[in-house]
CSV table of all heavy atoms in Angstrom, one decimal:
chain,number,residue,atom,x,y,z
A,1,ILE,N,6.1,-3.5,-8.0
A,1,ILE,CA,6.8,-4.5,-7.2
A,1,ILE,C,6.0,-4.8,-5.9
A,1,ILE,O,6.1,-5.9,-5.3
A,1,ILE,CB,8.2,-4.0,-6.8
A,1,ILE,CG1,9.0,-5.3,-6.4
A,1,ILE,CG2,8.2,-3.0,-5.7
A,1,ILE,CD1,9.3,-6.2,-7.4
A,2,ASP,N,5.2,-3.9,-5.5
A,2,ASP,CA,4.3,-4.0,-4.3
A,2,ASP,C,3.1,-4.8,-4.5
A,2,ASP,O,2.4,-5.3,-3.5
A,2,ASP,CB,3.9,-2.7,-3.7
A,2,ASP,CG,5.1,-1.9,-3.3
A,2,ASP,OD1,5.9,-2.4,-2.5
A,2,ASP,OD2,5.2,-0.6,-3.6
A,3,ILE,N,2.7,-5.1,-5.8
A,3,ILE,CA,1.4,-5.7,-6.1
A,3,ILE,C,1.3,-7.1,-5.6
A,3,ILE,O,0.4,-7.5,-4.9
A,3,ILE,CB,1.1,-5.7,-7.6
A,3,ILE,CG1,1.0,-4.2,-8.1
A,3,ILE,CG2,0.0,-6.6,-8.0
A,3,ILE,CD1,0.8,-4.1,-9.6
A,4,PRO,N,2.3,-8.0,-5.8
A,4,PRO,CA,2.2,-9.4,-5.3
A,4,PRO,C,2.0,-9.5,-3.8
A,4,PRO,O,1.2,-10.3,-3.3
A,4,PRO,CB,3.5,-10.1,-5.8
A,4,PRO,CG,3.9,-9.3,-7.0
A,4,PRO,CD,3.5,-7.9,-6.7
A,5,ARG,N,2.8,-8.6,-3.1
A,5,ARG,CA,2.7,-8.6,-1.6
A,5,ARG,C,1.3,-8.2,-1.2
A,5,ARG,O,0.7,-8.8,-0.2
A,5,ARG,CB,3.8,-7.7,-1.1
A,5,ARG,CG,3.7,-7.5,0.5
A,5,ARG,CD,4.9,-6.9,0.9
A,5,ARG,NE,5.4,-5.7,0.1
A,5,ARG,CZ,5.0,-4.5,0.3
A,5,ARG,NH1,4.1,-4.2,1.3
A,5,ARG,NH2,5.4,-3.5,-0.5
A,6,MET,N,0.7,-7.2,-1.8
A,6,MET,CA,-0.6,-6.7,-1.4
A,6,MET,C,-1.7,-7.7,-1.8
A,6,MET,O,-2.7,-7.9,-1.0
A,6,MET,CB,-0.8,-5.3,-2.1
A,6,MET,CG,0.1,-4.2,-1.7
A,6,MET,SD,-0.1,-2.7,-2.5
A,6,MET,CE,-1.7,-2.1,-1.8
A,7,VAL,N,-1.6,-8.3,-2.9
A,7,VAL,CA,-2.5,-9.3,-3.3
A,7,VAL,C,-2.5,-10.5,-2.4
A,7,VAL,O,-3.5,-11.0,-1.9
A,7,VAL,CB,-2.3,-9.8,-4.8
A,7,VAL,CG1,-3.1,-11.0,-5.1
A,7,VAL,CG2,-2.5,-8.7,-5.8
A,8,ASP,N,-1.3,-10.9,-2.0
A,8,ASP,CA,-1.1,-12.0,-1.1
A,8,ASP,C,-1.8,-11.7,0.3
A,8,ASP,O,-2.5,-12.5,0.9
A,8,ASP,CB,0.3,-12.4,-0.9
A,8,ASP,CG,0.5,-13.5,0.1
A,8,ASP,OD1,0.1,-14.6,-0.2
A,8,ASP,OD2,1.1,-13.2,1.2
A,9,ARG,N,-1.6,-10.5,0.8
A,9,ARG,CA,-2.2,-10.1,2.0
A,9,ARG,C,-3.8,-10.1,1.9
A,9,ARG,O,-4.5,-10.6,2.8
A,9,ARG,CB,-1.7,-8.8,2.5
A,9,ARG,CG,-2.3,-8.4,3.8
A,9,ARG,CD,-1.7,-7.1,4.4
A,9,ARG,NE,-2.3,-6.7,5.6
A,9,ARG,CZ,-2.2,-5.6,6.3
A,9,ARG,NH1,-1.5,-4.6,5.7
A,9,ARG,NH2,-2.8,-5.3,7.4
A,10,LEU,N,-4.3,-9.6,0.8
A,10,LEU,CA,-5.7,-9.5,0.6
A,10,LEU,C,-6.4,-10.9,0.7
A,10,LEU,O,-7.4,-11.1,1.4
A,10,LEU,CB,-6.0,-8.9,-0.7
A,10,LEU,CG,-7.5,-8.8,-1.1
A,10,LEU,CD1,-8.1,-7.4,-0.7
A,10,LEU,CD2,-7.8,-9.0,-2.6
A,11,LEU,N,-5.7,-11.9,0.0
A,11,LEU,CA,-6.3,-13.2,0.0
A,11,LEU,C,-6.0,-14.0,1.3
A,11,LEU,O,-6.9,-14.7,1.8
A,11,LEU,CB,-5.7,-13.9,-1.2
A,11,LEU,CG,-6.1,-13.3,-2.5
A,11,LEU,CD1,-5.4,-14.0,-3.7
A,11,LEU,CD2,-7.6,-13.4,-2.8
A,12,ARG,N,-4.8,-13.8,1.8
A,12,ARG,CA,-4.4,-14.6,3.0
A,12,ARG,C,-5.2,-14.2,4.2
A,12,ARG,O,-5.6,-15.0,5.0
A,12,ARG,CB,-2.9,-14.3,3.3
A,12,ARG,CG,-2.4,-15.0,4.5
A,12,ARG,CD,-0.9,-15.0,4.5
A,12,ARG,NE,-0.3,-13.8,3.9
A,12,ARG,CZ,-0.1,-12.7,4.6
A,12,ARG,NH1,-0.4,-12.6,5.9
A,12,ARG,NH2,0.4,-11.6,4.1
A,13,GLU,N,-5.5,-12.9,4.4
A,13,GLU,CA,-6.3,-12.4,5.5
A,13,GLU,C,-7.8,-12.2,5.2
A,13,GLU,O,-8.6,-11.7,6.0
A,13,GLU,CB,-5.7,-11.1,6.0
A,13,GLU,CG,-4.2,-11.1,6.4
A,13,GLU,CD,-3.7,-9.8,7.0
A,13,GLU,OE1,-4.5,-8.9,7.2
A,13,GLU,OE2,-2.5,-9.7,7.1
A,14,ASP,N,-8.2,-12.6,4.0
A,14,ASP,CA,-9.6,-12.6,3.6
A,14,ASP,C,-10.1,-11.1,3.7
A,14,ASP,O,-11.2,-10.9,4.3
A,14,ASP,CB,-10.4,-13.5,4.4
A,14,ASP,CG,-11.8,-13.8,3.7
A,14,ASP,OD1,-11.9,-13.6,2.5
A,14,ASP,OD2,-12.8,-14.2,4.4
A,15,LEU,N,-9.4,-10.2,3.1
A,15,LEU,CA,-9.8,-8.8,3.2
A,15,LEU,C,-10.6,-8.4,1.9
A,15,LEU,O,-10.6,-9.2,0.9
A,15,LEU,CB,-8.6,-7.9,3.4
A,15,LEU,CG,-7.8,-8.1,4.6
A,15,LEU,CD1,-6.5,-7.3,4.5
A,15,LEU,CD2,-8.6,-7.7,5.9
A,16,ASP,N,-11.2,-7.2,1.9
A,16,ASP,CA,-11.9,-6.7,0.7
A,16,ASP,C,-11.1,-5.6,0.0
A,16,ASP,O,-11.3,-5.4,-1.2
A,16,ASP,CB,-13.3,-6.2,1.1
A,16,ASP,CG,-14.2,-7.3,1.5
A,16,ASP,OD1,-14.1,-8.4,0.9
A,16,ASP,OD2,-15.1,-7.1,2.3
A,17,LEU,N,-10.2,-4.9,0.8
A,17,LEU,CA,-9.3,-3.9,0.3
A,17,LEU,C,-8.1,-3.8,1.0
A,17,LEU,O,-8.1,-3.8,2.2
A,17,LEU,CB,-10.1,-2.5,0.3
A,17,LEU,CG,-9.3,-1.3,0.1
A,17,LEU,CD1,-8.6,-1.2,-1.3
A,17,LEU,CD2,-10.1,0.0,0.4
A,18,VAL,N,-7.0,-3.7,0.3
A,18,VAL,CA,-5.7,-3.4,0.8
A,18,VAL,C,-5.2,-2.1,0.2
A,18,VAL,O,-5.0,-2.1,-1.1
A,18,VAL,CB,-4.6,-4.5,0.7
A,18,VAL,CG1,-3.3,-4.0,1.2
A,18,VAL,CG2,-5.1,-5.7,1.4
A,19,ALA,N,-5.1,-1.0,0.9
A,19,ALA,CA,-4.8,0.3,0.3
A,19,ALA,C,-3.3,0.6,0.5
A,19,ALA,O,-2.8,0.3,1.6
A,19,ALA,CB,-5.7,1.4,0.9
A,20,GLY,N,-2.7,1.3,-0.4
A,20,GLY,CA,-1.3,1.6,-0.3
A,20,GLY,C,-1.2,2.8,0.6
A,20,GLY,O,-2.0,3.7,0.6
A,21,TRP,N,0.0,2.9,1.3
A,21,TRP,CA,0.3,4.0,2.2
A,21,TRP,C,1.7,4.5,1.8
A,21,TRP,O,2.7,3.8,2.0
A,21,TRP,CB,0.3,3.6,3.6
A,21,TRP,CG,0.7,4.6,4.6
A,21,TRP,CD1,0.9,6.0,4.4
A,21,TRP,CD2,1.1,4.4,6.0
A,21,TRP,NE1,1.4,6.6,5.5
A,21,TRP,CE2,1.5,5.7,6.5
A,21,TRP,CE3,1.1,3.3,6.8
A,21,TRP,CZ2,1.9,5.9,7.8
A,21,TRP,CZ3,1.6,3.5,8.1
A,21,TRP,CH2,2.0,4.7,8.6
A,22,ARG,N,1.7,5.7,1.2
A,22,ARG,CA,3.0,6.3,0.7
A,22,ARG,C,3.7,7.0,2.0
A,22,ARG,O,3.6,8.2,2.1
A,22,ARG,CB,2.8,7.3,-0.4
A,22,ARG,CG,2.2,6.7,-1.6
A,22,ARG,CD,1.7,7.7,-2.5
A,22,ARG,NE,0.5,8.5,-2.0
A,22,ARG,CZ,-0.1,9.4,-2.6
A,22,ARG,NH1,0.2,9.8,-3.8
A,22,ARG,NH2,-1.1,10.1,-2.0
A,23,ARG,N,4.2,6.2,2.9
A,23,ARG,CA,4.7,6.7,4.1
A,23,ARG,C,6.0,7.6,3.8
A,23,ARG,O,6.1,8.7,4.5
A,23,ARG,CB,5.1,5.6,5.1
A,23,ARG,CG,5.6,6.1,6.5
A,23,ARG,CD,5.6,5.0,7.5
A,23,ARG,NE,6.4,3.9,7.1
A,23,ARG,CZ,6.4,2.8,7.8
A,23,ARG,NH1,5.7,2.6,8.9
A,23,ARG,NH2,7.2,1.8,7.4
A,24,ASP,N,6.7,7.3,2.9
A,24,ASP,CA,7.9,8.1,2.4
A,24,ASP,C,7.6,8.7,1.1
A,24,ASP,O,8.2,8.3,0.1
A,24,ASP,CB,9.2,7.2,2.4
A,24,ASP,CG,10.4,8.1,2.1
A,24,ASP,OD1,10.4,9.3,2.3
A,24,ASP,OD2,11.5,7.5,1.7
A,25,ARG,N,6.7,9.7,1.1
A,25,ARG,CA,6.2,10.2,-0.1
A,25,ARG,C,7.3,11.1,-0.9
A,25,ARG,O,7.8,12.0,-0.2
A,25,ARG,CB,4.9,10.9,0.1
A,25,ARG,CG,4.2,11.4,-1.2
A,25,ARG,CD,2.8,12.0,-0.8
A,25,ARG,NE,2.2,12.5,-2.1
A,25,ARG,CZ,1.0,13.0,-2.1
A,25,ARG,NH1,0.2,13.1,-1.0
A,25,ARG,NH2,0.4,13.5,-3.2
A,26,LYS,N,7.4,10.9,-2.2
A,26,LYS,CA,8.4,11.7,-2.9
A,26,LYS,C,7.7,12.8,-3.7
A,26,LYS,O,7.8,12.9,-4.9
A,26,LYS,CB,9.2,10.8,-3.8
A,26,LYS,CG,9.8,9.6,-3.1
A,26,LYS,CD,10.8,10.0,-2.1
A,26,LYS,CE,11.5,8.8,-1.5
A,26,LYS,NZ,12.5,9.1,-0.5
A,27,ASP,N,7.1,13.7,-3.0
A,27,ASP,CA,6.4,14.9,-3.7
A,27,ASP,C,6.8,16.2,-3.0
A,27,ASP,O,7.2,16.1,-1.8
A,27,ASP,CB,4.9,14.7,-3.7
A,27,ASP,CG,4.4,13.7,-4.7
A,27,ASP,OD1,4.9,13.7,-5.8
A,27,ASP,OD2,3.5,12.9,-4.4
A,28,ASN,N,6.5,17.3,-3.7
A,28,ASN,CA,6.8,18.6,-3.0
A,28,ASN,C,5.7,19.0,-2.1
A,28,ASN,O,4.6,18.4,-2.0
A,28,ASN,CB,7.0,19.6,-4.1
A,28,ASN,CG,5.9,19.8,-5.0
A,28,ASN,OD1,4.7,19.7,-4.6
A,28,ASN,ND2,6.2,20.1,-6.3
A,29,TRP,N,5.9,20.0,-1.3
A,29,TRP,CA,4.9,20.4,-0.3
A,29,TRP,C,3.6,20.9,-0.9
A,29,TRP,O,2.5,20.8,-0.2
A,29,TRP,CB,5.5,21.6,0.5
A,29,TRP,CG,5.7,22.9,-0.2
A,29,TRP,CD1,6.7,23.3,-0.9
A,29,TRP,CD2,4.6,23.9,-0.4
A,29,TRP,NE1,6.5,24.5,-1.5
A,29,TRP,CE2,5.2,24.9,-1.2
A,29,TRP,CE3,3.4,24.1,0.1
A,29,TRP,CZ2,4.6,26.0,-1.5
A,29,TRP,CZ3,2.7,25.3,-0.2
A,29,TRP,CH2,3.3,26.2,-1.0
A,30,VAL,N,3.6,21.4,-2.1
A,30,VAL,CA,2.3,21.8,-2.8
A,30,VAL,C,1.3,20.6,-2.9
A,30,VAL,O,0.1,20.8,-2.8
A,30,VAL,CB,2.6,22.4,-4.2
A,30,VAL,CG1,1.3,22.7,-4.9
A,30,VAL,CG2,3.6,23.6,-4.1
């Protein structure tokens, strides 16, 4: 679901990379 928003930002701001940030990461401490 995040793909269209990230693609739009890449093209709109003329970037070369938009990287995802899992700020609320759902993994264990390991």
